[in-house]
Amino acid sequence: MRQIDEELLPRVLEAAVSGTDPAEAMPPVPGPPGWTPERRAAFGDFHRRTAGPSYAIMTGEEIIGATRLTPAEAPGAAEIGIWLTRQARGKGHSVAALHQLIEEARAQGKTALIAETNAANPAAVGLLRTLGAKLWEDPDTGAVHATLRVGDSVEHGIGR
Ligand SMILES: CC(C)(COP(=O)(O)OP(=O)(O)OC[C@H]1O[C@@H](n2cnc3c(N)ncnc32)[C@H](O)[C@@H]1OP(=O)(O)O)[C@@H](O)C(=O)NCCC(=O)NCCS
């Protein structure tokens, strides 16, 4: 994984445009479906403005997704987000990337990670389950809230 900076950001956007639906890779932006100019601009703003680091998930020099660790309201908590390009899914990259992100969270002294998804997204639910997260599903909306305790700090993290 490599931390996303201004230099890497255009390549991350390119990977997202070629391999995801916008709703999978960024918060909603009104407008017609697809990667409109507005959504491409908002993708950049999202990465620049969101607190906490975000990382490109790489195989060699190829960008196959991105993941982020965003500070949450509760002390010691952070929210995780992840997307992979369609062609990179189903190969275990998500579990490997989030294990690295969890190490980074520990190195930052985080004690709990949260994630939000939906029961209609079995890959995300499966991923969170595989990581050992506690899941709670809202029966009215299908929203799934996940919490993962990350325990004691370790001495290393991404890029160290
Ligand atoms: C969510 C996402 C990152 C998961 O990556 P992936 O490569 O598709 O997932 P994997 O194939 O590594 O599977 C992860 C786990 O979920 C399970 N899983 C995957 N697809 C599944 C499905 N359709 N039904 C049930 N379980 C499924 C896998 O078996 C695996 O569990 P295991 O390790 O115990 O075998 C990817 O699908 C994605 O980018 N989706 C769009 C963005 C998104 O929804 N992000 C989630 C935000 S929380």
Side-chain angles (χ1 to χ4, degrees), residues 29-105:
V29 171
W35 283 99
T36 58
E38 290 76 14
R39 289 203 182 92
R40 289 170 195 240
F43 183 89
D45 290 345
F46 175 59
H47 280 276
R48 287 185 196 102
R49 290 188 192 149
T50 305
S54 51
Y55 302 94
I57 303 168
M58 325 266 308
T59 54
E61 279 306 300
E62 190 191 354
I63 296 172
I64 58 161
T67 186
R68 68 184 163 83
L69 192 60
T70 308
E73 255 175 50
E79 185 186 337
I80 53 179
I82 183 170
W83 58 266
L84 293 178
T85 56
R86 281 180 212 101
Q87 52 274 28
R89 294 177 196 170
K91 298 175 183 167
H93 294 303
S94 65
V95 177
L98 286 191
H99 276 139
Q100 283 191 58
L101 196 73
I102 290 166
E103 288 300 298
E104 175 62 16

